[in-house]
Amino acid sequence: MSKRRVVITGLGILAPNGIGTQKFWDSNINGISGIDYISTIDTTEISVKIAGEVRGFNPLDYMNQRLYQKTTRFSHFGIAAAQMAINDSNISIEKINPCRFGVIMGSGLGGMLFHEEQILNYIGKGLKKVSPLYAPLVTPNAVTGNVAVFFGLRGINYTVGGACASGNIAIGEAFRKIQYNEADIMLTGGVEASLYPTSFAGFANMGVLSKRNVKPNEASCPFSLNRDGFVLSEGGGILLLEELNHALKRNANIYCEIIGFGANNGAHHMVIPNPDGSDATAAMELALADGSINSSEVNYINAHGTSTQANDKIETLAIRKLFTEPKKISISSTKSMIGHSLGASSGIEAIVTCLAIKNNIVPPTINLNEPDPECDLDYTPNVAKERIINVAMSNSFAFGSINACIVLKKYN
Amino acid sequence: MYNEATTREKVEKVLIDFLKKKFPDESMNITPNTLLVDELGIDSVDGIDILFGINDLFQIDIPNEYLKLFAQVEDIIEYLMAKESELKMV
């Protein structure tokens, strides 16, 4: 069976440094951070005080009060970002076949925020006080299910749980559904509502979060010598993928083409990446091969770039192993500005990669003033750079040794 | 407890205020005569959620099976009034 071509025709985003594509992109190319002191959690007892919160988001701008009450924050992000992506694509849902329109999103934690609230009810007031809506709010597919019901989308529908690679795996799966003629349109990407006390404390107590509380917007500093961990954040990044001819027939605005997806597992450790980076190299290689792209054609890599000692060093090593002239590639880490939104991160970073191709601009890695000698590639320090970008890759590496990479290409 | 008129008025007010919060889009029109399914669009899962809220609010324990007996807001008020001695309105 020949593979069909797939293009990106709609974007929807809620990130700590901007809600909506324009605001978010402006922040990204101007190096504006969305990291600040966390407002929703009392951090008195722990040493981490900062996070990337999506501020100024009113879910009621996207749904009525009743749906708002019957959903929790990660679904709010999903429904809102899906609405933005559909609007951006100019698709009239009543004019397309809803059975060929599916939804596959990624989320690492699903509705755990609501789960925590119900555990508190159970402990404090007893089992009879646990919400009868527990299951339909908490289940990871609450987001994709609610998006399907809200917009009337009857195609394949599920949520991917692949930790910090959830978004890229979802995008890869959605890409395949269109390639292999199981759908014509897919809403995909990642959402995460990770900023609730047990999640925040769990990551903090593990020692993976930055403790650079003094200047929150400088805490996430991927590839720099003094990086001390990632900044936990939340958000949603949703893309509308469409079969090329379907998009051309309705004269859609095409951002770029998605041409490759590669995913594997390092089978190494639940938390620590394989120090030789060979599995990350292999995942990138799989994605390039899937897109029939030679490594020398890649102009830009949106790195996983978490700002942990391990990731940034090993990702650099993995890139060095695959590319013969790695210093010719522009690399940047979106997480330098918005922190790490776990399952949402690769959805958001796919959007950055897509806009980088569309606009021929490489967004910067901010807070990169003192590079780590072991991270010696071109990470686009501090200032965005104009560059013709024909082919770009977006990396995501996750707890559970998961690696997932996508390759996007200028449409022509 | 309360005298008859006061209790009935209080129950009605507390219940309708609660329903208005649950259904803000229809809140202007919620009265004792409002039909739960046809006017508020309550399905079986919404019904259980609402019963849960009412049980919490009045600190009583209406079993889920009673849901099908409630056609309009008035039916819930009448049920609550029949249990008047057990009510603890928060």
Side-chain angles (χ1 to χ4, degrees):
Chain A
M1 180 191 236
S2 66
K3 289 191 267 188
R4 307 195 304 166
R5 291 174 70 182
V6 184
V7 290
I8 298 169
T9 57
L11 304 174
I13 183 144
L14 300 110
N17 66 351
I19 295 172
T21 304
Q22 195 57 52
K23 176 81 172 51
F24 170 71
W25 181 242
D26 287 347
S27 293
N28 270 271
I29 58 176
N30 290 302
I32 295 169
S33 169
I35 308 303
D36 208 337
Y37 294 105
I38 189 163
S39 66
T40 54
I41 297 172
D42 178 357
T43 59
T44 309
E45 293 178 31
I46 52 176
S47 52
V48 180
K49 314 286 181 193
I50 55 175
E53 296 176 303
V54 176
R55 298 185 184 206
F57 168 50
N58 181 5
L60 295 172
D61 291 342
Y62 303 90
M63 67 199 79
N64 66 24
Q65 181 71 239
R66 192 71 194 120
L67 180 57
Y68 170 71
Q69 290 174 7
K70 290 198 282 187
T71 43
T72 186
R73 191 164 174 85
F74 87 115
S75 294
H76 299 159
F77 287 148
I79 294 165
Q83 179 76 74
M84 291 180 203
I86 289 170
N87 290 350
D88 186 35
S89 74
N90 270 322
I91 275 187
S92 308
I93 291 179
E94 61 278 9
K95 287 186 189 162
I96 51 109
N97 178 358
C99 299
R100 301 278 299 170
F101 193 155
V103 186
I104 302 176
M105 295 181 182
S107 183
L109 299 166
M112 292 298 281
L113 185 154
F114 189 73
H115 171 78
E116 186 185 70
E117 291 169 10
Q118 297 312 308
I119 291 291
L120 292 172
N121 274 346
Y122 157 50
I123 302 289
K125 300 176 189 168
L127 280 172
K128 289 196 84 168
K129 296 300 180 187
V130 173
S131 168
L133 298 186
Y134 175 85
L137 266 87
V138 167
T139 182
N141 75 310
V143 60
T144 46
N146 274 296
V147 166
V149 173
F150 192 70
F151 298 105
L153 312 178
R154 301 169 75 109
I156 189 162
N157 185 297
Y158 58 90
T159 298
V160 170
C164 306
S166 300
N168 260 1
I169 298 171
I171 292 167
E173 292 277 299
F175 170 50
R176 293 279 187 259
K177 300 300 172 204
I178 299 176
Q179 274 189 314
Y180 291 104
N181 203 15
E182 291 175 40
D184 295 326
I185 315 169
M186 295 292 299
L187 276 169
T188 187
V191 292
E192 203 76 87
S194 46
L195 300 177
Y196 54 94
T198 48
S199 155
F200 193 75
F203 283 110
N205 295 344
M206 187 189 266
V208 294
L209 299 186
S210 173
K211 298 189 188 78
R212 292 155 52 112
N213 300 309
V214 179
K215 289 185 177 169
N217 59 358
E218 295 179 10
S220 183
C221 51
F223 309 108
S224 74
L225 188 60
N226 53 2
R227 66 191 186 275
D228 74 334
F230 68 86
V231 175
L232 192 62
S233 67
E234 61 173 359
I238 297 301
L239 304 92
L240 193 137
L241 307 190
E242 192 168 354
E243 193 271 324
L244 176 61
N245 289 316
H246 193 281
L248 291 175
K249 258 184 228 162
R250 63 178 194 89
N251 203 22
N253 170 43
I254 294 173
Y255 283 98
C256 66
E257 185 170 0
I258 172 166
I259 57 168
F261 170 60
N264 67 0
N265 197 286
H268 179 72
H269 190 280
M270 269 307 290
V271 176
I272 302 164
N274 178 2
D276 75 11
S278 56
D279 51 318
T281 301
M284 289 188 265
E285 206 165 11
L286 285 170
L288 292 178
D290 186 48
S292 302
I293 286 288
N294 188 295
S295 66
S296 63
E297 294 175 78
V298 176
N299 311 116
Y300 170 57
I301 299 173
N302 187 295
H304 187 56
T306 55
S307 193
T308 62
Q309 282 292 331
N311 177 83
D312 299 356
K313 187 170 68 182
I314 295 166
E315 185 170 12
T316 299
L317 184 64
I319 291 170
R320 281 189 151 283
K321 280 184 176 176
L322 178 58
F323 296 93
T324 45
E325 294 183 291
K327 290 193 175 182
K328 286 192 173 172
I329 303 166
S330 291
I331 301 170
S332 64
S333 167
T334 304
K335 293 183 183 77
S336 65
M337 290 174 265
I338 61 170
H340 192 354
S341 56
L342 310 180
S345 63
S346 40
I348 292 171
E349 288 157 20
I351 289 174
V352 173
T353 310
C354 177
L355 292 169
I357 291 172
K358 181 81 178 168
N359 296 301
N360 293 311
I361 297 176
V362 181
T365 302
I366 67 165
N367 303 320
L368 184 45
N369 300 313
E370 199 181 343
D372 180 347
E374 291 192 84
C375 301
D376 56 351
L377 302 177
D378 178 8
Y379 307 104
T380 323
N382 303 315
V383 181
K385 186 161 78 181
E386 287 189 26
R387 176 176 184 169
I388 301 293
I389 303 171
N390 288 311
V391 177
M393 182 158 62
S394 178
N395 285 343
S396 60
F397 309 125
F399 280 8
S401 274
I402 301 173
N403 308 297
C405 308
I406 58 169
V407 181
L408 308 183
K409 186 170 182 277
K410 204 179 278 299
Y411 169 69
N412 47 36
Chain B
M1 271 317 273
Y2 320 97
N3 69 47
E4 177 78 14
T6 313
T7 308
R8 155 85 209 193
E9 280 168 17
K10 277 192 175 180
V11 166
E12 182 179 318
K13 184 174 185 325
V14 170
L15 179 65
I16 288 180
D17 284 351
F18 166 74
L19 290 172
K20 283 180 173 178
K21 275 189 199 146
K22 282 277 177 193
F23 299 92
D25 299 332
E26 294 86 4
S27 66
M28 297 303 287
N29 304 316
I30 298 178
T31 71
N33 297 324
T34 299
L35 297 169
L36 300 175
V37 174
D38 291 344
E39 292 182 72
L40 292 184
I42 292 176
D43 61 29
S44 59
V45 176
D46 289 334
I48 296 205
D49 180 40
I50 282 152
L51 213 53
F52 181 81
I54 292 170
N55 283 341
D56 197 41
L57 205 55
F58 292 95
Q59 296 191 20
I60 57 164
D61 193 5
I62 310 175
N64 287 350
E65 297 75 52
Y66 275 66
L67 204 56
K68 57 182 180 291
L69 304 176
F70 300 146
Q72 55 183 356
V73 174
E74 176 65 29
D75 298 334
I76 307 174
I77 297 171
E78 278 180 21
Y79 180 93
L80 292 169
M81 287 305 295
K83 300 271 177 184
E84 187 194 336
S85 60
E86 298 172 27
L87 297 185
K88 294 186 193 109
M89 280 178 283
V90 179

